[in-house]
Amino acid sequence: VWMGITPKGTSKLVIHPPGQKVNGPYYLKCLKKSVNEFKGRTVDGDRIDEKVLFEDPNDFVVEQDFAKAHATKAVQNWLSENVPHHTPLLPSLADEELYMPPKLDDFWAIERLWAIWCQTVYAHPMPENINQLIRRIRKAHRETKVSTLTKLIHELPARIQEIYRVKGDRIHPSWDYQKSKYRL
């Protein structure tokens, strides 16, 4: 499953067919389709994946984690040519302004959203087959509130400071975003 998020809504869910290898070329195809779709939104729809995601569809940042498919030269080249700003992932681009080091799971809002969704996706009784799993993922997506996305994104400055404070180690589970002077 692949999806992008902003404080205002999400891209469409991309559910990969069972057995589909998510390599650079396949991911790039999904990325192109998603970026073109959400850049074309001009009016908010009712669903979270129909919201206008950016005030200016030509001024946004695509942030990616370090999945191997994200960190290919083809993906990085396409982003450089078609997206105003993005997090470069190739180690050779470590000096770029928006470069993000690998393994910042405490940072990525999407990783925290997946953790929230796990409560719905893996609730008892556990899904017994791929179709049940997909239905639950879609349900979790449908039930996500914009306020949840906004909170996840607004935590980023405080999370960056905490990651810096712990010198790149994991953020302790007792850490409280509400107590950070960097919270939004």
Side-chain angles (χ1 to χ4, degrees):
V1 176
W2 181 85
M3 175 188 69
I5 66 172
T6 76
K8 297 179 178 186
T10 73
S11 67
K12 301 284 186 196
L13 275 176
V14 177
I15 299 178
H16 309 294
Q20 171 65 54
K21 184 174 178 159
V22 181
N23 55 22
Y26 180 80
Y27 171 69
L28 183 54
K29 182 176 131 187
C30 296
L31 181 66
K32 287 177 181 180
K33 182 178 178 183
S34 290
V35 168
N36 290 331
E37 186 275 324
F38 68 65
K39 280 179 68 173
R41 296 182 195 171
T42 57
V43 178
D44 276 339
D46 294 330
R47 294 172 31 143
I48 198 164
D49 61 353
E50 296 174 339
K51 302 292 184 192
V52 175
L53 301 182
F54 307 102
E55 290 179 27
D56 180 348
N58 296 309
D59 188 21
F60 59 92
V61 177
V62 170
E63 295 178 345
Q64 305 176 98
D65 64 15
F66 251 80
K68 285 185 179 182
H70 299 179
T72 66
K73 287 182 182 178
V75 168
Q76 296 301 299
N77 289 339
W78 186 84
L79 286 169
S80 293
E81 294 170 8
N82 295 281
V83 173
H85 310 286
H86 69 282
T87 53
L89 301 177
L90 299 174
S92 62
L93 300 174
D95 293 331
E96 294 288 322
E97 179 183 11
L98 296 175
Y99 178 78
M100 296 296 288
K103 301 299 178 197
L104 283 180
D105 290 345
D106 284 339
F107 174 75
W108 303 110
I110 192 75
E111 299 300 340
R112 295 191 319 282
L113 182 61
W114 291 127
I116 292 167
W117 285 9
C118 281
Q119 296 170 25
T120 299
V121 173
Y122 297 110
H124 183 76
M126 291 284 284
E128 295 180 13
N129 59 52
I130 192 74
N131 291 330
Q132 288 177 357
L133 182 66
I134 290 170
R135 276 195 296 278
R136 290 205 186 169
I137 291 168
R138 287 187 171 134
K139 179 181 188 299
H141 182 235
R142 257 190 333 271
E143 293 175 352
T144 300
K145 295 179 175 23
V146 170
S147 60
T148 299
L149 300 175
T150 301
K151 179 181 179 285
L152 291 172
I153 301 299
H154 283 189
E155 287 180 359
L156 292 176
R159 286 184 167 276
I160 290 169
Q161 288 300 319
E162 185 62 9
I163 291 167
Y164 178 77
R165 189 188 72 75
V166 298
K167 297 178 174 59
D169 285 343
R170 302 281 304 175
I171 293 175
H172 193 273
S174 65
W175 178 74
D176 185 359
Y177 154 76
Q178 294 296 330
K179 293 179 181 175
S180 173
K181 70 179 182 179
Y182 299 100
R183 70 184 174 89
L184 296 177

PDB file of all heavy atoms in Angstrom, residues 149-177:
ATOM      1  N   LEU A 149      -4.302  14.138  10.650  1.00  0.00           N
ATOM      2  CA  LEU A 149      -3.209  14.453   9.730  1.00  0.00           C
ATOM      3  C   LEU A 149      -2.525  15.761  10.129  1.00  0.00           C
ATOM      4  O   LEU A 149      -1.295  15.856  10.129  1.00  0.00           O
ATOM      5  CB  LEU A 149      -3.738  14.551   8.299  1.00  0.00           C
ATOM      6  CG  LEU A 149      -4.388  13.296   7.736  1.00  0.00           C
ATOM      7  CD1 LEU A 149      -4.968  13.584   6.359  1.00  0.00           C
ATOM      8  CD2 LEU A 149      -3.415  12.149   7.685  1.00  0.00           C
ATOM      9  N   THR A 150      -3.318  16.763  10.473  1.00  0.00           N
ATOM     10  CA  THR A 150      -2.770  18.062  10.870  1.00  0.00           C
ATOM     11  C   THR A 150      -1.875  17.899  12.097  1.00  0.00           C
ATOM     12  O   THR A 150      -0.764  18.427  12.138  1.00  0.00           O
ATOM     13  CB  THR A 150      -3.903  19.060  11.150  1.00  0.00           C
ATOM     14  OG1 THR A 150      -4.697  19.193   9.968  1.00  0.00           O
ATOM     15  CG2 THR A 150      -3.361  20.420  11.548  1.00  0.00           C
ATOM     16  N   LYS A 151      -2.329  17.142  13.089  1.00  0.00           N
ATOM     17  CA  LYS A 151      -1.528  16.915  14.298  1.00  0.00           C
ATOM     18  C   LYS A 151      -0.213  16.219  13.951  1.00  0.00           C
ATOM     19  O   LYS A 151       0.849  16.619  14.435  1.00  0.00           O
ATOM     20  CB  LYS A 151      -2.317  16.090  15.307  1.00  0.00           C
ATOM     21  CG  LYS A 151      -1.550  15.796  16.584  1.00  0.00           C
ATOM     22  CD  LYS A 151      -2.374  14.944  17.531  1.00  0.00           C
ATOM     23  CE  LYS A 151      -1.626  14.620  18.794  1.00  0.00           C
ATOM     24  NZ  LYS A 151      -0.595  13.611  18.662  1.00  0.00           N
ATOM     25  N   LEU A 152      -0.284  15.183  13.123  1.00  0.00           N
ATOM     26  CA  LEU A 152       0.934  14.452  12.765  1.00  0.00           C
ATOM     27  C   LEU A 152       1.949  15.360  12.082  1.00  0.00           C
ATOM     28  O   LEU A 152       3.150  15.284  12.358  1.00  0.00           O
ATOM     29  CB  LEU A 152       0.595  13.270  11.861  1.00  0.00           C
ATOM     30  CG  LEU A 152      -0.172  12.119  12.520  1.00  0.00           C
ATOM     31  CD1 LEU A 152      -0.604  11.101  11.465  1.00  0.00           C
ATOM     32  CD2 LEU A 152       0.654  11.464  13.602  1.00  0.00           C
ATOM     33  N   ILE A 153       1.488  16.219  11.206  1.00  0.00           N
ATOM     34  CA  ILE A 153       2.388  17.132  10.493  1.00  0.00           C
ATOM     35  C   ILE A 153       2.901  18.225  11.429  1.00  0.00           C
ATOM     36  O   ILE A 153       4.079  18.580  11.400  1.00  0.00           O
ATOM     37  CB  ILE A 153       1.691  17.739   9.257  1.00  0.00           C
ATOM     38  CG1 ILE A 153       1.222  16.656   8.285  1.00  0.00           C
ATOM     39  CG2 ILE A 153       2.594  18.765   8.576  1.00  0.00           C
ATOM     40  CD1 ILE A 153       2.301  15.784   7.701  1.00  0.00           C
ATOM     41  N   HIS A 154       2.041  18.744  12.291  1.00  0.00           N
ATOM     42  CA  HIS A 154       2.447  19.818  13.197  1.00  0.00           C
ATOM     43  C   HIS A 154       3.439  19.348  14.264  1.00  0.00           C
ATOM     44  O   HIS A 154       4.117  20.172  14.866  1.00  0.00           O
ATOM     45  CB  HIS A 154       1.229  20.472  13.843  1.00  0.00           C
ATOM     46  CG  HIS A 154       0.524  21.407  12.921  1.00  0.00           C
ATOM     47  ND1 HIS A 154      -0.477  22.243  13.325  1.00  0.00           N
ATOM     48  CD2 HIS A 154       0.677  21.641  11.600  1.00  0.00           C
ATOM     49  CE1 HIS A 154      -0.909  22.954  12.302  1.00  0.00           C
ATOM     50  NE2 HIS A 154      -0.224  22.593  11.243  1.00  0.00           N
ATOM     51  N   GLU A 155       3.525  18.042  14.480  1.00  0.00           N
ATOM     52  CA  GLU A 155       4.512  17.510  15.425  1.00  0.00           C
ATOM     53  C   GLU A 155       5.934  17.531  14.865  1.00  0.00           C
ATOM     54  O   GLU A 155       6.896  17.378  15.619  1.00  0.00           O
ATOM     55  CB  GLU A 155       4.175  16.054  15.783  1.00  0.00           C
ATOM     56  CG  GLU A 155       3.004  15.871  16.689  1.00  0.00           C
ATOM     57  CD  GLU A 155       2.744  14.395  16.981  1.00  0.00           C
ATOM     58  OE1 GLU A 155       3.469  13.518  16.465  1.00  0.00           O
ATOM     59  OE2 GLU A 155       1.809  14.121  17.740  1.00  0.00           O
ATOM     60  N   LEU A 156       6.079  17.702  13.561  1.00  0.00           N
ATOM     61  CA  LEU A 156       7.395  17.550  12.928  1.00  0.00           C
ATOM     62  C   LEU A 156       8.489  18.435  13.527  1.00  0.00           C
ATOM     63  O   LEU A 156       9.576  17.935  13.815  1.00  0.00           O
ATOM     64  CB  LEU A 156       7.294  17.744  11.414  1.00  0.00           C
ATOM     65  CG  LEU A 156       6.520  16.644  10.675  1.00  0.00           C
ATOM     66  CD1 LEU A 156       6.407  16.988   9.196  1.00  0.00           C
ATOM     67  CD2 LEU A 156       7.150  15.288  10.871  1.00  0.00           C
ATOM     68  N   PRO A 157       8.261  19.744  13.737  1.00  0.00           N
ATOM     69  CA  PRO A 157       9.363  20.549  14.313  1.00  0.00           C
ATOM     70  C   PRO A 157       9.810  20.044  15.688  1.00  0.00           C
ATOM     71  O   PRO A 157      11.003  19.978  15.972  1.00  0.00           O
ATOM     72  CB  PRO A 157       8.775  21.960  14.408  1.00  0.00           C
ATOM     73  CG  PRO A 157       7.688  21.979  13.374  1.00  0.00           C
ATOM     74  CD  PRO A 157       7.122  20.584  13.359  1.00  0.00           C
ATOM     75  N   ALA A 158       8.858  19.658  16.527  1.00  0.00           N
ATOM     76  CA  ALA A 158       9.209  19.146  17.855  1.00  0.00           C
ATOM     77  C   ALA A 158       9.934  17.810  17.733  1.00  0.00           C
ATOM     78  O   ALA A 158      10.895  17.547  18.472  1.00  0.00           O
ATOM     79  CB  ALA A 158       7.949  19.001  18.703  1.00  0.00           C
ATOM     80  N   ARG A 159       9.520  16.963  16.817  1.00  0.00           N
ATOM     81  CA  ARG A 159      10.168  15.664  16.625  1.00  0.00           C
ATOM     82  C   ARG A 159      11.599  15.850  16.110  1.00  0.00           C
ATOM     83  O   ARG A 159      12.507  15.150  16.542  1.00  0.00           O
ATOM     84  CB  ARG A 159       9.367  14.793  15.661  1.00  0.00           C
ATOM     85  CG  ARG A 159       8.122  14.251  16.312  1.00  0.00           C
ATOM     86  CD  ARG A 159       7.359  13.293  15.413  1.00  0.00           C
ATOM     87  NE  ARG A 159       6.377  12.607  16.229  1.00  0.00           N
ATOM     88  CZ  ARG A 159       6.629  11.531  16.961  1.00  0.00           C
ATOM     89  NH1 ARG A 159       7.806  10.971  16.933  1.00  0.00           N
ATOM     90  NH2 ARG A 159       5.689  10.982  17.703  1.00  0.00           N
ATOM     91  N   ILE A 160      11.790  16.783  15.201  1.00  0.00           N
ATOM     92  CA  ILE A 160      13.141  17.060  14.699  1.00  0.00           C
ATOM     93  C   ILE A 160      14.047  17.468  15.863  1.00  0.00           C
ATOM     94  O   ILE A 160      15.179  16.987  15.994  1.00  0.00           O
ATOM     95  CB  ILE A 160      13.117  18.156  13.611  1.00  0.00           C
ATOM     96  CG1 ILE A 160      12.477  17.615  12.344  1.00  0.00           C
ATOM     97  CG2 ILE A 160      14.522  18.688  13.335  1.00  0.00           C
ATOM     98  CD1 ILE A 160      12.175  18.692  11.310  1.00  0.00           C
ATOM     99  N   GLN A 161      13.567  18.362  16.716  1.00  0.00           N
ATOM    100  CA  GLN A 161      14.370  18.812  17.846  1.00  0.00           C
ATOM    101  C   GLN A 161      14.665  17.672  18.817  1.00  0.00           C
ATOM    102  O   GLN A 161      15.775  17.574  19.350  1.00  0.00           O
ATOM    103  CB  GLN A 161      13.672  19.965  18.574  1.00  0.00           C
ATOM    104  CG  GLN A 161      13.693  21.255  17.810  1.00  0.00           C
ATOM    105  CD  GLN A 161      15.107  21.728  17.529  1.00  0.00           C
ATOM    106  OE1 GLN A 161      16.002  21.645  18.364  1.00  0.00           O
ATOM    107  NE2 GLN A 161      15.330  22.218  16.323  1.00  0.00           N
ATOM    108  N   GLU A 162      13.678  16.788  19.038  1.00  0.00           N
ATOM    109  CA  GLU A 162      13.902  15.666  19.956  1.00  0.00           C
ATOM    110  C   GLU A 162      14.895  14.670  19.365  1.00  0.00           C
ATOM    111  O   GLU A 162      15.758  14.151  20.073  1.00  0.00           O
ATOM    112  CB  GLU A 162      12.578  14.989  20.310  1.00  0.00           C
ATOM    113  CG  GLU A 162      12.694  13.896  21.340  1.00  0.00           C
ATOM    114  CD  GLU A 162      13.207  14.341  22.702  1.00  0.00           C
ATOM    115  OE1 GLU A 162      13.342  15.558  22.984  1.00  0.00           O
ATOM    116  OE2 GLU A 162      13.506  13.439  23.525  1.00  0.00           O
ATOM    117  N   ILE A 163      14.803  14.402  18.083  1.00  0.00           N
ATOM    118  CA  ILE A 163      15.771  13.515  17.425  1.00  0.00           C
ATOM    119  C   ILE A 163      17.174  14.112  17.535  1.00  0.00           C
ATOM    120  O   ILE A 163      18.139  13.404  17.807  1.00  0.00           O
ATOM    121  CB  ILE A 163      15.372  13.261  15.953  1.00  0.00           C
ATOM    122  CG1 ILE A 163      14.106  12.400  15.897  1.00  0.00           C
ATOM    123  CG2 ILE A 163      16.510  12.597  15.175  1.00  0.00           C
ATOM    124  CD1 ILE A 163      13.449  12.357  14.524  1.00  0.00           C
ATOM    125  N   TYR A 164      17.273  15.421  17.352  1.00  0.00           N
ATOM    126  CA  TYR A 164      18.564  16.100  17.505  1.00  0.00           C
ATOM    127  C   TYR A 164      19.060  15.978  18.946  1.00  0.00           C
ATOM    128  O   TYR A 164      20.229  15.670  19.200  1.00  0.00           O
ATOM    129  CB  TYR A 164      18.430  17.574  17.107  1.00  0.00           C
ATOM    130  CG  TYR A 164      19.695  18.358  17.275  1.00  0.00           C
ATOM    131  CD1 TYR A 164      20.733  18.238  16.355  1.00  0.00           C
ATOM    132  CD2 TYR A 164      19.864  19.215  18.348  1.00  0.00           C
ATOM    133  CE1 TYR A 164      21.911  18.951  16.508  1.00  0.00           C
ATOM    134  CE2 TYR A 164      21.026  19.926  18.518  1.00  0.00           C
ATOM    135  CZ  TYR A 164      22.048  19.798  17.592  1.00  0.00           C
ATOM    136  OH  TYR A 164      23.213  20.510  17.751  1.00  0.00           O
ATOM    137  N   ARG A 165      18.155  16.191  19.908  1.00  0.00           N
ATOM    138  CA  ARG A 165      18.533  16.136  21.323  1.00  0.00           C
ATOM    139  C   ARG A 165      19.056  14.753  21.715  1.00  0.00           C
ATOM    140  O   ARG A 165      20.025  14.639  22.465  1.00  0.00           O
ATOM    141  CB  ARG A 165      17.331  16.495  22.220  1.00  0.00           C
ATOM    142  CG  ARG A 165      17.706  16.668  23.693  1.00  0.00           C
ATOM    143  CD  ARG A 165      16.489  16.833  24.582  1.00  0.00           C
ATOM    144  NE  ARG A 165      15.744  15.596  24.738  1.00  0.00           N
ATOM    145  CZ  ARG A 165      16.115  14.558  25.493  1.00  0.00           C
ATOM    146  NH1 ARG A 165      17.238  14.592  26.169  1.00  0.00           N
ATOM    147  NH2 ARG A 165      15.356  13.482  25.579  1.00  0.00           N
ATOM    148  N   VAL A 166      18.442  13.693  21.175  1.00  0.00           N
ATOM    149  CA  VAL A 166      18.878  12.330  21.519  1.00  0.00           C
ATOM    150  C   VAL A 166      19.939  11.818  20.538  1.00  0.00           C
ATOM    151  O   VAL A 166      20.215  10.629  20.482  1.00  0.00           O
ATOM    152  CB  VAL A 166      17.681  11.346  21.628  1.00  0.00           C
ATOM    153  CG1 VAL A 166      16.742  11.788  22.743  1.00  0.00           C
ATOM    154  CG2 VAL A 166      16.952  11.192  20.315  1.00  0.00           C
ATOM    155  N   LYS A 167      20.505  12.748  19.761  1.00  0.00           N
ATOM    156  CA  LYS A 167      21.609  12.455  18.842  1.00  0.00           C
ATOM    157  C   LYS A 167      21.284  11.335  17.857  1.00  0.00           C
ATOM    158  O   LYS A 167      22.089  10.441  17.607  1.00  0.00           O
ATOM    159  CB  LYS A 167      22.883  12.139  19.619  1.00  0.00           C
ATOM    160  CG  LYS A 167      23.372  13.307  20.453  1.00  0.00           C
ATOM    161  CD  LYS A 167      24.605  12.935  21.235  1.00  0.00           C
ATOM    162  CE  LYS A 167      25.220  14.081  21.957  1.00  0.00           C
ATOM    163  NZ  LYS A 167      24.478  14.795  22.914  1.00  0.00           N
ATOM    164  N   GLY A 168      20.066  11.365  17.337  1.00  0.00           N
ATOM    165  CA  GLY A 168      19.661  10.411  16.317  1.00  0.00           C
ATOM    166  C   GLY A 168      19.104   9.108  16.845  1.00  0.00           C
ATOM    167  O   GLY A 168      18.655   8.272  16.074  1.00  0.00           O
ATOM    168  N   ASP A 169      19.122   8.918  18.153  1.00  0.00           N
ATOM    169  CA  ASP A 169      18.540   7.703  18.719  1.00  0.00           C
ATOM    170  C   ASP A 169      17.010   7.766  18.621  1.00  0.00           C
ATOM    171  O   ASP A 169      16.434   8.801  18.275  1.00  0.00           O
ATOM    172  CB  ASP A 169      18.944   7.539  20.195  1.00  0.00           C
ATOM    173  CG  ASP A 169      20.387   7.096  20.349  1.00  0.00           C
ATOM    174  OD1 ASP A 169      20.973   6.608  19.356  1.00  0.00           O
ATOM    175  OD2 ASP A 169      20.926   7.241  21.469  1.00  0.00           O
ATOM    176  N   ARG A 170      16.379   6.659  18.969  1.00  0.00           N
ATOM    177  CA  ARG A 170      14.918   6.604  18.962  1.00  0.00           C
ATOM    178  C   ARG A 170      14.355   7.557  20.009  1.00  0.00           C
ATOM    179  O   ARG A 170      14.939   7.735  21.081  1.00  0.00           O
ATOM    180  CB  ARG A 170      14.429   5.186  19.281  1.00  0.00           C
ATOM    181  CG  ARG A 170      14.916   4.106  18.353  1.00  0.00           C
ATOM    182  CD  ARG A 170      14.206   4.004  17.072  1.00  0.00           C
ATOM    183  NE  ARG A 170      12.781   3.829  17.249  1.00  0.00           N
ATOM    184  CZ  ARG A 170      11.932   3.809  16.256  1.00  0.00           C
ATOM    185  NH1 ARG A 170      12.351   3.949  15.034  1.00  0.00           N
ATOM    186  NH2 ARG A 170      10.659   3.659  16.461  1.00  0.00           N
ATOM    187  N   ILE A 171      13.217   8.156  19.700  1.00  0.00           N
ATOM    188  CA  ILE A 171      12.521   8.982  20.677  1.00  0.00           C
ATOM    189  C   ILE A 171      11.902   8.036  21.709  1.00  0.00           C
ATOM    190  O   ILE A 171      11.242   7.063  21.354  1.00  0.00           O
ATOM    191  CB  ILE A 171      11.438   9.842  19.993  1.00  0.00           C
ATOM    192  CG1 ILE A 171      12.090  10.875  19.069  1.00  0.00           C
ATOM    193  CG2 ILE A 171      10.554  10.525  21.036  1.00  0.00           C
ATOM    194  CD1 ILE A 171      11.110  11.702  18.262  1.00  0.00           C
ATOM    195  N   HIS A 172      12.097   8.339  22.982  1.00  0.00           N
ATOM    196  CA  HIS A 172      11.579   7.487  24.057  1.00  0.00           C
ATOM    197  C   HIS A 172      10.046   7.531  24.053  1.00  0.00           C
ATOM    198  O   HIS A 172       9.457   8.591  23.838  1.00  0.00           O
ATOM    199  CB  HIS A 172      12.124   7.953  25.409  1.00  0.00           C
ATOM    200  CG  HIS A 172      11.901   6.954  26.494  1.00  0.00           C
ATOM    201  ND1 HIS A 172      10.743   6.922  27.229  1.00  0.00           N
ATOM    202  CD2 HIS A 172      12.676   5.934  26.923  1.00  0.00           C
ATOM    203  CE1 HIS A 172      10.810   5.924  28.094  1.00  0.00           C
ATOM    204  NE2 HIS A 172      11.978   5.313  27.929  1.00  0.00           N
ATOM    205  N   PRO A 173       9.389   6.395  24.292  1.00  0.00           N
ATOM    206  CA  PRO A 173       7.918   6.356  24.280  1.00  0.00           C
ATOM    207  C   PRO A 173       7.262   7.334  25.257  1.00  0.00           C
ATOM    208  O   PRO A 173       6.122   7.749  25.038  1.00  0.00           O
ATOM    209  CB  PRO A 173       7.587   4.907  24.667  1.00  0.00           C
ATOM    210  CG  PRO A 173       8.807   4.131  24.328  1.00  0.00           C
ATOM    211  CD  PRO A 173       9.969   5.069  24.500  1.00  0.00           C
ATOM    212  N   SER A 174       7.970   7.719  26.310  1.00  0.00           N
ATOM    213  CA  SER A 174       7.387   8.655  27.280  1.00  0.00           C
ATOM    214  C   SER A 174       7.464  10.117  26.814  1.00  0.00           C
ATOM    215  O   SER A 174       6.888  10.992  27.457  1.00  0.00           O
ATOM    216  CB  SER A 174       8.085   8.509  28.635  1.00  0.00           C
ATOM    217  OG  SER A 174       9.444   8.904  28.522  1.00  0.00           O
ATOM    218  N   TRP A 175       8.176  10.376  25.700  1.00  0.00           N
ATOM    219  CA  TRP A 175       8.297  11.744  25.198  1.00  0.00           C
ATOM    220  C   TRP A 175       6.921  12.295  24.887  1.00  0.00           C
ATOM    221  O   TRP A 175       6.075  11.620  24.285  1.00  0.00           O
ATOM    222  CB  TRP A 175       9.182  11.770  23.946  1.00  0.00           C
ATOM    223  CG  TRP A 175       9.328  13.130  23.344  1.00  0.00           C
ATOM    224  CD1 TRP A 175      10.077  14.158  23.819  1.00  0.00           C
ATOM    225  CD2 TRP A 175       8.716  13.610  22.143  1.00  0.00           C
ATOM    226  NE1 TRP A 175       9.975  15.255  22.998  1.00  0.00           N
ATOM    227  CE2 TRP A 175       9.144  14.937  21.958  1.00  0.00           C
ATOM    228  CE3 TRP A 175       7.844  13.060  21.219  1.00  0.00           C
ATOM    229  CZ2 TRP A 175       8.732  15.725  20.881  1.00  0.00           C
ATOM    230  CZ3 TRP A 175       7.434  13.830  20.134  1.00  0.00           C
ATOM    231  CH2 TRP A 175       7.880  15.149  19.982  1.00  0.00           C
ATOM    232  N   ASP A 176       6.680  13.537  25.315  1.00  0.00           N
ATOM    233  CA  ASP A 176       5.360  14.159  25.137  1.00  0.00           C
ATOM    234  C   ASP A 176       5.482  15.380  24.234  1.00  0.00           C
ATOM    235  O   ASP A 176       6.050  16.406  24.630  1.00  0.00           O
ATOM    236  CB  ASP A 176       4.784  14.543  26.495  1.00  0.00           C
ATOM    237  CG  ASP A 176       3.369  15.093  26.413  1.00  0.00           C
ATOM    238  OD1 ASP A 176       2.813  15.197  25.287  1.00  0.00           O
ATOM    239  OD2 ASP A 176       2.811  15.420  27.471  1.00  0.00           O
ATOM    240  N   TYR A 177       4.925  15.253  23.053  1.00  0.00           N
ATOM    241  CA  TYR A 177       4.932  16.351  22.077  1.00  0.00           C
ATOM    242  C   TYR A 177       4.353  17.627  22.686  1.00  0.00           C
ATOM    243  O   TYR A 177       4.836  18.724  22.436  1.00  0.00           O
ATOM    244  CB  TYR A 177       4.126  15.908  20.845  1.00  0.00           C
ATOM    245  CG  TYR A 177       3.516  17.023  20.055  1.00  0.00           C
ATOM    246  CD1 TYR A 177       4.292  17.799  19.213  1.00  0.00           C
ATOM    247  CD2 TYR A 177       2.158  17.310  20.137  1.00  0.00           C
ATOM    248  CE1 TYR A 177       3.745  18.828  18.475  1.00  0.00           C
ATOM    249  CE2 TYR A 177       1.603  18.336  19.403  1.00  0.00           C
ATOM    250  CZ  TYR A 177       2.394  19.101  18.578  1.00  0.00           C
ATOM    251  OH  TYR A 177       1.855  20.113  17.869  1.00  0.00           O
TER     252      TYR A 177
END
